[in-house]
Amino acid sequence: MRRFLRPGHDPVRERLKRDLFQFNKTVEHGFPHQPSALGYSPFLRLMAIGTRSGAIKLYGAPGVEFMGLHEENNTVMQIHFIPDQCQLVTLLDDNSLHLWSLKQHGGASELLEEHRFTLKGPPGSPPSATQVTAVLPHSSREVLYLGTESGNIFVVELPSFRVLEDRTITPEAVLQRIPEDNCNRRSCELVEALREHPKNPDQILIGYSRGLIVLWDLQNNKATHHFLGSQQLENLYWQRDGSKFISCHYDGSYTQWPVSSDNRQPEPLENTVPYGPFPCKAISKIYWQTTKNGLPYIIFQGGMPRASYGDRHSISVIHGSQQTAFDFTSRVIDFFIIFSSDPAAEFDDPSALVVLAEEELVVIDLKSAGWPAVHPPYLASLHCSAITCSHHVSNIPLKLWERIISAGSKQNIHYSSMPWPIDGGTNIAPDPPQRDLLLTGHEDGTVRFWDASGVCLHLLYKLSTVRVFLTDADPNDNMNALGEDEWPPLRKVGTFDPYSDDPRLGIQKIYLCKYSGYLAVAGTAGQVLVMELNDEDAEHVVDHAEADLLQDQEGYRWKGHEKLKTRDGPVRFEAGFQPFVLVQCQPPAVVTSLALHSEWKLVAFGTSHGFGLFDHQQKRLVFVKCTLHPSDQLALEGPLSRVKSLKKSLRQSFRRIRRSRVSSRKRRGGSGNASEVQEANAKFDQDALQEMELAPVQRKIEARSAEDSFTGFVRTLYFADTFLRDSSRHCPSLWAGTNGGTVYAFCLRVPPAERRMDEPVRAEQAKEIQLMHRAPVVGILVLDGRSTPLPEPLEVAHDLSKSPDMQGSHQLLVVSEEQFKVFTLPKVSSKLKLKLTALEGCRVRKVTVANFGSCKTDDYSENDLAVLTNLGDIQIISLPFLKLQIRYPCIRKEDVSGIASCVFTKYGQGFYLISPSEFERFSLSTKWLVEPRCIVDVPEVTSNNHVHNKSGTENAARKS
Amino acid sequence: EFRRFSLERSKPGKFEEFYGLLQHVHKIPNVDVLVGYTDIHGDLLPINNDDNYHKAVSTANPLLRIFIQRKEDADYSAFGTDTMTRKKNVLSNVLRPDNHKKKPHIVISMPQDFRPVSSIIDVDILPETHRRVRLYKYGTDKPLGFYIRDGSSVRVTPHGLEKVPGIFISRLVPGGLAQSTGLLAVNDEVLEVNGIEVSGKSLDQVTDMMIANSRNLIITVRPANQRNNVVRNSRTSGSSGQSTESSLPSSTPNILGNLQGEEESDEEDIIIEDSGEPQQIPKAAPTSESIESLSQIELLHESTQNGFLPSSEMNSNHSAGSISLEDEVPEPGRKSLEEDGTIITL
């Protein structure tokens, strides 16, 4: 009979499952990995970023974002918005052009690729003939001008990408009007820049690489002016009224040129090498912005003295006597200026400088004195120091939320108060249902608090643990003591700083109690800090305690890193989370697990040697337990090599991703000769198989034994108020699970509140369970009499959870990497199990209890286990019967760092790193979905706009 | 010394009671003895557990001749050899028949003194080209001792011959369990692990599955050397000693026993209460077990073929409460439940 009751065939349950579970990757948070191009539409007030993997992302007002992916996964080289349109053109490194459109669909806008096009030369011409180097979308919105390496400028019609051959501007045509003694055919090689005249759309400025600049009349198809630059040209920019333009050059100089009707071959007005007289690097891009007060802004990238500052990534702003060279933390990809886009305005009046660097986005407020930076509401550089761990807390009480924000605002006073200048589009997504915090621990000893409630992952507050310790490089003497020279006037901007002073500072585990504001943070050198939220600055002594986890183990020598030295005496802490006690594990091995019970005022911590319990109310160590197997030499002697090479492996795995992307693309490409490709593929596969036979990878099949290394490694710690000794009285307990499949349970006696300070907390070992399959224990959970997981500490006290059922019998769920097992309590007998690995060959990497609500009815919700396996699959397993509900492929199994970084929320969402700087957000729930939903309205364009343009009275200014 | 006494055929009782009765009848309460009987073919067969005891009683016609020997001076070789008239009866495939023949004077202890380390199972339901081998890691100190690798094998498909990836045994560790059984060899293709097909699974997945099942590993292989295969419906067998002749269960029920071991050997997780003595964790109430078997059945359907034919026990060193089976093929419903146990609870 039983076989007919198989789960999965119950139609009621199947229907319910559809109402409960659904998998979506919803949004990418953070900063795009390897950005390669930048574009901006002053008309839409949207910014576009292209990446080396072929993604393009559009950002406007907070919450307005779009993403597209080029099928080819090729590097995006240039992005150009079509003037006054919801369209943009991208140029990839395979010389293909792509037209993207924002279209409204179902009440929201979507980014869609409409056309693609590759310029084809006449048969037999070299590829350079059609290699596009400069793109100019004309203000008529009808054509694109494409400058090429050959010096030809092709004209293609939009949106069809039809080449208008009769309108091609050839070098020969250009040279006709230029005296031969100044120029030859080679002067017209490689079009470096194309700029439309700001007032007269019939004129375009053509800059050739060798320095020749030509003003071309489109109506009459002839060059009206030519300008002979002596230096290799980098870029051009028109002054707003079209009477002058500026060119920048390879030697670090820029030159102003007049354009007048009487002189067909004008001499430069002014030639400047801003950082001369010694040889300088190229100025690759330049802006000339007019202002009401008459002093223009000259803003350019590069130009630093080659020998002494050639390694800087700088953008200089010159405004009258003010000059600053903003010094970026990574290579500058591109930048643009936000200025008055009102065509009727007489001056540019620039308001902000937006710089896309390789690792971060920096926006400078040009209106405020001192040119402060603007705090971006999105595109946060998650990786300004490498992320070492993450912790998610759902549904933050408003009070705590406000206190964190207030602490954070005190850290952000040096930012400009300017509203975010890139504000196109409208966010129409519903308000986030609750306040969620994502905490990231970093290699430099900081913890960042992110607002993870909505689409924009926004930094609220940054906590540094460094002040507690004495490090080699004191942060205070680092910044200004070096004493930069006064010239060039460099100023560091940006937060990206991947270089950690001391790897021991790295944060490994975080636990935040959202009700009490207690925060426990543990790090690489065995340090455990307990902190309290304080709204004021304070100066106090941090209490120290040592926890010797080796206790009676004699004769072992720790060969790993030393513990961090602490500061003596009081330490000044800024408002926010302030540490009040430091527990130092001995040996100072990396802390591998951490639990905090804010109601009992206890913190538990574990390393590869054992675990301990600390009473942070009385500041007293309650007990320690050594979990080492006597033969476990490796754990005794040194830190995990795995930890050491984390960064390396991250790097490698990203390299792998890229490589695999490349190879898959290579195989897909070339639709023209499909059969040939197939044949080649078949051959490749065959070769690969043969290769496999020659050099096989072997795997040893051996049962896990007690002698394996790191069996004592404490993987999980859990506090529970449950029936440990007998079924009549429940008591506080601490549970620990190790890598060797052992579970320890300690019975705790916590004095009642009124005597909490007087009597010591006592602990006694009550149980020890050895799982015979010896797989690492990754999760421990107690289910109450209703089979509901026990609530978090203080959850009941805050009326946010029903009190647990203490009448019925409790059950213990132990999750190892291979199996899920339910035992009865207090007498431990095995009740249920699910052997995941034996069946599917996958192992549990992450497991959390998540609450799933039905999208159909508000009153139904259930708790399930959300599980991520080593194959990157997500499985939902029911509680308490341990039945697999559903499975979704989520992360590629090769993406080890992605799998390792995954964190689940309590309501069926999750995050994992898709690159060092980006979190992918996903949802398993039908009810909790946080995804961008926005609309971009086309601002009113007057019907005679085009005519106006033609008449030369109006123009929307435009960037490269 | 001869004794003659009567037993109720329909209710023979347990072997232990019978053993006690014998000791009582012969007034040798503290002497360890070996008990044997002659079956209908005249073979001397041992009685040392409930199953062969029941078998013996059921075959008595009408008398059952029982032989009792003191254990210390027992002639073990008497069993099944001298008296055998028709065929070599393999007590268990760990007792190699050829060893036995060549060195008849080596005293080989009774099967009850052995721990099974490996067996060939399901001979009757598998294609002749396949072999299902069971390795009992539990209680042995020997390492499993083998390695697997990726490779490719040729399959017949509707589109002709195709090369498909597969998993192969790449190395046997000298002295390991795998090597000592002689049932696995380098380049054998692994087809299933504990009833689950490995095709479509990566090397790492298969590795994890094998390790997760390492206490009672059942691997179905296609041996690289196909010459030693069991030839069905024939008494002839491969000449090499490496291949174990597996007789059909119906004719020799005493072979290949110990399926019951898996329920037992299934991770008896150990609990230490209040720093007391380690104990094995008992199973909880049956209600939960039914749920468990549900999930097991589900699994069973994923794997195509794994009907483990329950054989009766050879060994008696299992605790009371073990599931004892009749010699006859059990009813189907029962069988499927047994299968579940075999697959899952390892």
Side-chain angles (χ1 to χ4, degrees), chain A residues 1-8 686 689-690 692-693 696-704 724-725 764-774 818-819 821 823-824 826-835 837-843 870-871 881-883 893, chain B residues 137-138 143-152 163 165 170-171 196 201-205 207-215 217 266-275 281-284 288-295 297-299 301 336-337 344-346:
Chain A
M1 278 306 287
R2 285 168 181 169
R3 68 171 65 196
F4 301 112
L5 294 173
R6 286 196 289 142
Q686 216 166 34
L689 272 175
Q690 260 160 16
M692 226 159 25
E693 277 166 356
V697 183
Q698 289 191 92
R699 292 282 185 274
K700 189 178 185 181
I701 307 298
E702 207 48 77
R704 235 180 259 106
L724 198 54
R725 283 259 166 76
E764 199 180 341
Q765 181 165 345
K767 289 185 196 311
E768 180 179 332
I769 302 171
Q770 175 61 54
L771 303 176
M772 284 317 279
H773 65 285
R774 296 192 184 278
E818 298 188 349
Q819 300 188 4
K821 296 194 121 180
F823 300 97
T824 58
K827 172 143 179 49
V828 176
S829 47
S830 74
K831 205 172 168 187
L832 262 181
K833 64 179 160 252
L834 173 67
K835 299 173 115 184
T837 309
L839 296 173
E840 299 186 24
C842 59
R843 304 169 67 85
N870 65 333
L871 303 179
F881 294 117
L882 303 181
K883 284 188 217 157
K893 71 177 177 207
Chain B
K137 164 72 183 155
Y138 184 68
L144 282 169
F146 67 102
Y147 290 74
I148 57 171
R149 63 167 171 88
D150 277 318
S152 61
K163 242 181 176 184
S170 60
R171 188 153 90 83
I196 295 169
K201 291 199 159 60
S202 69
L203 184 63
D204 288 333
Q205 262 176 293
T207 305
D208 281 341
M209 285 167 68
M210 286 190 173
I211 291 173
N213 287 307
S214 58
R215 299 210 158 249
L217 185 59
D266 173 32
E267 7 172 297
E268 303 99 359
D269 297 334
I270 291 167
I271 172 101
I272 304 172
E273 299 264 2
D274 294 334
S275 313
I281 295 179
K283 277 248 152 60
S288 61
E289 274 177 328
S290 68
I291 293 157
E292 196 172 358
S293 14
L294 279 182
S295 58
I297 290 170
E298 182 180 36
L299 282 163
H301 284 255
S336 65
L337 276 183
I344 313 300
T345 41
L346 295 171

Side-chain angles (χ1 to χ4, degrees), chain B residues 28-301:
Chain B
I28 44 167
N30 294 315
V31 181
D32 285 339
V33 293
L34 289 182
V35 185
Y37 74 103
T38 48
D39 74 347
I40 47 168
H41 309 295
D43 293 348
L44 178 61
L45 300 175
I47 301 181
N48 48 23
N49 60 31
D50 286 352
D51 299 301
N52 50 22
Y53 168 55
H54 291 168
K55 177 75 179 168
V57 173
S58 67
T59 56
N61 187 24
L63 281 181
L64 179 64
R65 280 184 81 185
I66 306 274
F67 294 84
I68 299 174
Q69 286 176 293
R70 245 182 218 278
K71 210 168 203 173
E72 40 279 27
D73 45 40
D75 177 11
Y76 290 95
S77 61
F79 286 104
T81 52
D82 292 353
T83 53
M84 211 156 54
T85 53
R86 287 164 26 134
K87 63 178 169 65
K88 296 272 184 286
N89 192 351
V90 187
L91 289 179
S92 141
N93 51 9
V94 286
L95 295 174
R96 303 265 185 81
D98 51 347
N99 279 351
H100 207 73
K101 250 185 290 175
K102 284 172 201 155
K103 302 167 191 167
H105 299 300
I106 289 178
V107 174
I108 295 175
S109 51
M110 288 299 292
Q112 68 198 34
D113 299 329
F114 283 102
R115 200 163 41 213
V117 291
S118 67
S119 53
I120 299 188
I121 54 176
D122 297 342
V123 187
D124 54 330
I125 55 167
L126 286 178
E128 287 170 15
T129 53
H130 295 185
R131 180 187 297 164
R132 187 165 289 164
V133 176
R134 178 156 179 187
L135 300 175
Y136 303 83
K137 164 72 183 155
Y138 184 68
T140 11
D141 299 329
K142 271 190 182 176
L144 282 169
F146 67 102
Y147 290 74
I148 57 171
R149 63 167 171 88
D150 277 318
S152 61
S153 68
V154 178
R155 291 274 157 79
V156 184
T157 68
H159 317 289
L161 291 181
E162 249 178 40
K163 242 181 176 184
V164 294
I167 305 284
F168 293 82
I169 293 175
S170 60
R171 188 153 90 83
L172 298 179
V173 177
L177 194 56
Q179 194 212 35
S180 66
T181 65
L183 300 177
L184 298 172
V186 171
N187 292 334
D188 284 1
E189 183 179 2
V190 178
L191 304 171
E192 285 177 14
V193 176
N194 289 63
I196 295 169
E197 280 190 52
V198 304
S199 71
K201 291 199 159 60
S202 69
L203 184 63
D204 288 333
Q205 262 176 293
V206 177
T207 305
D208 281 341
M209 285 167 68
M210 286 190 173
I211 291 173
N213 287 307
S214 58
R215 299 210 158 249
N216 189 352
L217 185 59
I218 299 169
I219 31 186
T220 310
V221 293
R222 183 182 8 233
N225 179 356
Q226 290 281 340
R227 283 177 302 167
N228 294 331
N229 290 338
V230 173
V231 180
R232 210 128 326 129
N233 303 324
S234 152
R235 288 280 157 210
T236 54
S237 72
S239 54
S240 156
Q242 205 177 22
S243 152
T244 312
E245 179 187 354
S246 309
S247 313
L248 293 174
S250 56
S251 64
T252 50
N254 291 353
I255 280 192
L256 302 180
N258 208 10
L259 273 186
Q260 178 259 333
E262 67 239 9
E263 197 53 47
E264 287 272 293
S265 70
D266 173 32
E267 7 172 297
E268 303 99 359
D269 297 334
I270 291 167
I271 172 101
I272 304 172
E273 299 264 2
D274 294 334
S275 313
E277 283 299 302
Q279 287 176 331
Q280 288 177 354
I281 295 179
K283 277 248 152 60
T287 46
S288 61
E289 274 177 328
S290 68
I291 293 157
E292 196 172 358
S293 14
L294 279 182
S295 58
Q296 289 167 15
I297 290 170
E298 182 180 36
L299 282 163
L300 181 67
H301 284 255

